């Protein structure tokens, strides 16, 4: 089969011929219908070889949707022909954390060498994908595969970040979203659907701000120091009850820290070098700061249900497997609109 592989550090990924896998034990083989491209692929390919913690070549893709074509001898719970989304945050399935469905925080993953598809294990940007266990497959139930693929990460990650804050986002409150890109544009739609907060989006460039308003932001401002005054004005001086930072760089986390009041929450979601110092003299009292990762299996069911209800929609652009290397060139040049999805 053909697969998009990251072969050598610093080199662009290539489409290569690799053996089609056969499921053994409890594994399930799916024929890939759609695979989303993520900024973390680009992040990983930008790492120097000594910082790369996984063997190469690596088949990319941690946002996969497909149809079940073959079950290993011990696999059960799914049927051949069933369309499924792949939950990518693989864990052991048995530790205390995994039993809550939060396998992305598995207590034994590093000890057991368990890695997500596309981030250590062969990923979804290929004609076929081997899934380690049927419990990592969530039925699509009629969702379009291309629209559903990005939901497994670009949808699940903001949902996991936002869900714990929802009880505080009552009428009269304000949620600030920094970064209205792949994850942020879904975060805005989720806040719109699930909370009564005023939603303020911050990004750079008029096209990004217009996009944020289009998907549901009540206000959209340029993401620089001027945003602090803008947020003060629209909140009547109260500032934000929650700030969701989908950028995660120093400039954005510093901005987040200046937009909260006592007891607000800052959630750093973007993968970057940003940090929010916590201390009696650095933040208003009792501000909570979290840096969550990906999402849980039950939350993936919830995200897909939200998409089925029509409340969230992913902006996508599709590519063939042969054209997949160009995705990362365009991602680097920031010319992608919405999420790039490979249809093998
Ligand atoms: Zn990702
Ligand atoms: Zn575990």
């Amino acid at each position: 089969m053909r697969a998009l592989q990251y072969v050598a550090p610093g080199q662009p990924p290539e489409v290569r011929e690799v053996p089609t896998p056969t499921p053994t034990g409890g594994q399930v083989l799916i024929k890939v219908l759609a695979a989303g491209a993520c900024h973390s692929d680009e992040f990983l390919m930008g790492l120097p070889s000594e910082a790369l913690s996984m063997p190469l070549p690596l088949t990319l893709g941690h946002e996969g949707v497909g149809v079940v074509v073959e079950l290993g001898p011990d696999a059960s719970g799914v049927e051949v022909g069933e369309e499924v989304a792949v939950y990518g945050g693989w864990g052991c399935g048995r530790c205390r954390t995994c039993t809550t469905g939060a396998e992305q925080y598995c207590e034994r993953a590093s000890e057991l060498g368990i890695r997500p598809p596309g981030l250590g294990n062969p990923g979804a940007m290929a004609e076929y994908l081997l899934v380690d266990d049927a419990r990592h497959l969530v039925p699509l139930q009629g969702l379009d595969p291309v629209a559903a693929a990005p939901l497994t990460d670009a949808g699940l990650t903001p949902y996991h970040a936002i869900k714990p804050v929802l009880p505080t986002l009552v009428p009269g409150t304000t949620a600030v979203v920094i970064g209205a890109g792949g994850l942020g544009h879904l975060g805005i739609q989720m806040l719109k659907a699930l909370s009564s907060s005023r939603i303020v989006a911050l990004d750079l460039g008029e096209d990004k701000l217009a996009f944020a308003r289009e998907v549901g932001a009540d206000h959209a401002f340029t993401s620089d120091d001027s945003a602090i005054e803008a947020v003060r004005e629209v909140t009547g001086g109260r500032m934000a009850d929650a700030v969701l930072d989908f950028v995660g760089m120093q400039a954005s986390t510093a901005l987040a820290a200046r937009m909260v009041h006592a007891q607000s929450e800052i959630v750093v979601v973007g993968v970057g070098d940003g940090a929010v110092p916590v201390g009696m003299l650095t933040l208003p009292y009792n501000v909570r700061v979290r840096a969550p990762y990906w999402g849980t299996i039950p939350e993936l069911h919830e995200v897909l249900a939200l998409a089925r209800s029509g409340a969230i929609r992913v902006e996508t652009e599709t590519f063939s497997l042969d054209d997949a290397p160009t995705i990362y060139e365009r991602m680097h040049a920031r010319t992608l609109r919405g999420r790039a999805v490979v249809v093998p």
Side-chain angles (χ1 to χ4, degrees):
M1 67 168 185
R2 284 170 315 134
L4 181 73
Q5 292 199 313
Y6 181 44
V7 182
Q11 297 300 309
E14 299 167 29
V15 179
R16 301 171 89 208
E17 192 64 33
V18 299
T20 302
T22 305
T24 59
Q27 294 173 330
V28 178
L29 186 69
I30 69 167
K31 186 177 197 309
V32 177
L33 298 174
C38 181
H39 278 281
S40 52
D41 302 332
E42 198 198 8
F43 178 78
L44 180 150
M45 289 189 280
L47 289 173
S49 49
E50 61 275 16
L52 197 68
S53 60
M54 53 201 74
L56 299 181
L58 169 72
T59 300
L60 295 168
H62 54 272
E63 292 183 342
V65 160
V67 56
V68 175
V69 288
E70 194 180 344
L71 274 66
D74 305 325
S76 62
V78 284
E79 305 284 331
V80 168
E82 195 180 338
E83 290 189 354
V84 289
V86 179
Y87 171 79
W90 297 356
C92 73
R94 310 190 80 154
C95 72
R96 257 180 104 122
T97 302
C98 279
T99 56
T100 68
E103 291 202 22
Q104 84 277 22
Y105 299 138
C106 175
E107 295 164 33
R108 301 191 63 204
S110 63
E111 170 200 344
L112 298 172
I114 300 169
R115 293 165 183 280
L119 297 167
N121 261 309
M125 291 203 181
E127 291 174 81
Y128 294 90
L129 171 68
L130 200 54
V131 177
D132 66 339
D133 194 288
R135 74 174 186 279
H136 294 142
L137 299 173
V138 177
L140 280 195
Q141 293 175 348
L143 273 182
D144 171 56
V146 170
L151 296 176
T152 60
D153 175 23
L156 181 56
T157 300
Y159 187 78
H160 179 64
I162 290 167
K163 190 181 174 185
V165 205
L166 286 175
T168 69
L169 297 182
V170 295
T173 59
T174 303
V176 171
V177 171
I178 306 179
L183 275 68
H185 90 290
L186 281 158
I188 292 167
Q189 294 177 67
M190 288 170 184
L191 287 165
K192 193 83 188 166
L194 301 171
S195 84
S196 9
S197 265
R198 173 192 296 112
I199 303 164
V200 179
L202 308 181
D203 208 320
L204 297 172
E206 199 39 57
D207 54 332
K208 287 279 171 64
L209 300 182
F211 181 50
R213 289 185 201 102
E214 227 172 85
V215 297
D218 299 300
H219 305 276
F221 302 121
T222 299
S223 187
D224 60 19
D225 276 0
S226 69
I228 294 164
E229 274 320 301
V231 168
R232 196 183 309 283
E233 198 176 320
V234 298
T235 61
R238 192 161 183 273
M239 303 308 279
D241 298 87
V243 181
L244 297 135
D245 179 3
F246 290 103
V247 179
M249 304 301 283
Q250 280 174 28
S252 62
T253 54
L255 206 52
R258 293 171 67 195
M259 289 197 169
V260 289
H261 57 70
Q263 314 232 58
S264 295
E265 183 142 341
I266 297 171
V267 191
V268 182
V269 191
V271 181
D273 60 358
V276 181
V278 178
M280 291 303 283
L281 303 178
T282 54
L283 284 175
Y285 292 131
N286 212 18
V287 168
R288 292 176 300 277
V289 181
R290 294 188 291 125
Y293 170 64
W294 220 332
T296 71
I297 297 173
E299 286 167 347
L300 182 54
H301 283 267
E302 293 163 29
V303 168
L304 297 186
L306 201 54
R308 264 179 233 116
S309 78
I312 55 170
R313 206 178 63 81
V314 193
E315 184 94 359
T316 55
E317 190 175 338
T318 56
F319 295 80
S320 68
L321 194 52
D322 291 322
D323 289 338
T326 64
I327 293 173
Y328 296 98
E329 291 165 22
R330 295 209 17 218
M331 192 181 277
H332 195 70
R334 290 177 64 85
T335 59
L336 286 172
R337 184 177 158 97
R339 206 71 169 167
V341 177
V342 173
V343 179

